[in-house]
Amino acid sequence: MSAQIISGKDIAADIRSELSGEVAKLVAETGVTPGLATVLVGENPASQMYVGMKNKAAAAMGIYSRQITLPIDTSQDELLGVVAGLNADPAIHGILVQLPVPDHIDEGLVIESIDPLKDVDGFHPMSVGRLATDSGEFFAPCTPAGVVEMLVRSGHDPAGKHVVVVGRSNIVGRPLASLLIRKAPGGNATVTVCHSRTPDLGAVTRTADILVVAMGRPEMVTADMVTPGTVVIDVGTNRVDDPDSEKGYRVCGDVLFDEVEKIAGAISPVPGGVGPMTITMLLSNTVKSARLATAR
Ligand code: NDP
């Protein structure tokens, strides 16, 4: 029997429609339009594409979006000055500096310069610490927050389940584990985190009720690593050569979809899975930030 397909595309569309309503309500009740600023240094085509998608999606739901594109030779001080200006700007509730920044700029310093109250990417150490200690208001990083939303909205609440996360990066695996063990909606799971030093990966992944894979290794998780009935979320986004395709490549996940789909209980595809959720959670964080600002 084939698995239930967990469509991030469909779930993201539902959330975006809810958010549009929330934006309209906020504007009507408080006169405040949520504002998102994206800052891009240089002309990396992938970064340009991501920033463009974020701004387009924001505008589509009534969020004010401001894109600031700076030349590649922008100095660190100049960039910090731009962020300081956005921190002080009441029209802006969310600030996103598109990563990576050029090598001559200290990425950590830039992230730390963002006002934690506007840190809609959730990468500021204050946000990371609050998530890790499950205390106070914070913005959860967008990709892991999207994974949790996908699970809950598709009827696979992680509470009480054993979730195996493959990958321990600061943008996906690690914050996802923190979200899943929170004593809060979307949390209360028992979590195991695997990485490249995990000796027998399959032995661990087979123990999962829910398996989330964020390795950046194309189609590495095969059917023999998954127990029948497992819920599988594939975060991986990889470009692999494909001479049969017009573009010469195809996009695939870290899970061998055709094989695993036949035995999993549910599975998210790539593309159309976690990808659309990431931008949606950024918009959700921006609306949340605006709402919190009006309450202060
Ligand atoms: P990183 O390269 O930062 O981290 C990969 C993790 O996977 C590391 O913890 C690494 O272990 C682990 N890993 C690598 N190889 C193995 C292996 N053979 N066995 C077990 N663990 C392994 O990647 P990211 O977290 O940034 O991204 C992961 C994937 O998710 C990528 O494909 C990326 O494109 C995608 N992604 C998709 C997003 C979306 O919106 N859809 C957003 C962000 C990422 P170790 O720590 O030991 O090196």
Side-chain angles (χ1 to χ4, degrees), residues 129-217:
R130 287 197 165 169
L131 167 59
T133 53
D134 197 7
S135 58
E137 275 298 348
F138 62 89
F139 299 106
C142 303
T143 300
V147 169
V148 170
E149 254 335 286
M150 282 170 84
L151 287 169
V152 171
R153 287 179 182 246
S154 63
H156 303 286
D157 192 322
K161 301 280 166 46
H162 178 210
V163 185
V164 174
V165 178
V166 187
R168 58 177 165 185
S169 74
N170 286 336
I171 62 166
V172 190
R174 211 176 279 260
L176 177 60
S178 296
L179 281 172
L180 290 167
I181 59 167
R182 289 177 73 209
K183 210 182 262 190
N188 292 310
T190 303
V191 181
T192 303
V193 180
C194 302
H195 43 75
S196 66
R197 307 293 171 94
T198 301
D200 183 352
L201 186 61
V204 186
T205 56
R206 281 189 291 272
T207 65
D209 299 312
I210 297 171
L211 175 61
V212 185
V213 188
M215 303 160 82
R217 299 277 180 269

Side-chain angles (χ1 to χ4, degrees), residues 210-232:
I210 297 171
L211 175 61
V212 185
V213 188
M215 303 160 82
R217 299 277 180 269
E219 300 178 330
M220 197 165 157
V221 172
T222 44
D224 59 305
M225 297 168 74
V226 179
T227 297
T230 305
V231 174
V232 180

Side-chain angles (χ1 to χ4, degrees), residues 55-127:
N55 284 301
K56 199 170 149 211
M61 65 184 53
I63 294 175
Y64 164 66
S65 79
R66 187 187 301 165
Q67 180 173 339
I68 299 168
T69 306
L70 302 169
I72 187 114
D73 58 358
T74 300
S75 73
Q76 181 168 288
D77 281 349
E78 281 168 327
L79 178 57
L80 292 175
V82 168
V83 173
L86 295 169
N87 283 340
D89 187 338
I92 297 299
H93 304 97
I95 303 169
L96 179 147
V97 178
Q98 184 65 43
L99 303 177
V101 287
D103 288 345
H104 65 276
I105 295 175
D106 180 339
E107 187 173 292
L109 203 63
V110 174
I111 292 172
E112 286 186 37
S113 75
I114 296 171
D115 181 344
L117 297 173
K118 298 187 179 187
D119 175 38
V120 286
D121 240 353
F123 295 153
H124 191 287
M126 171 85 90
S127 310

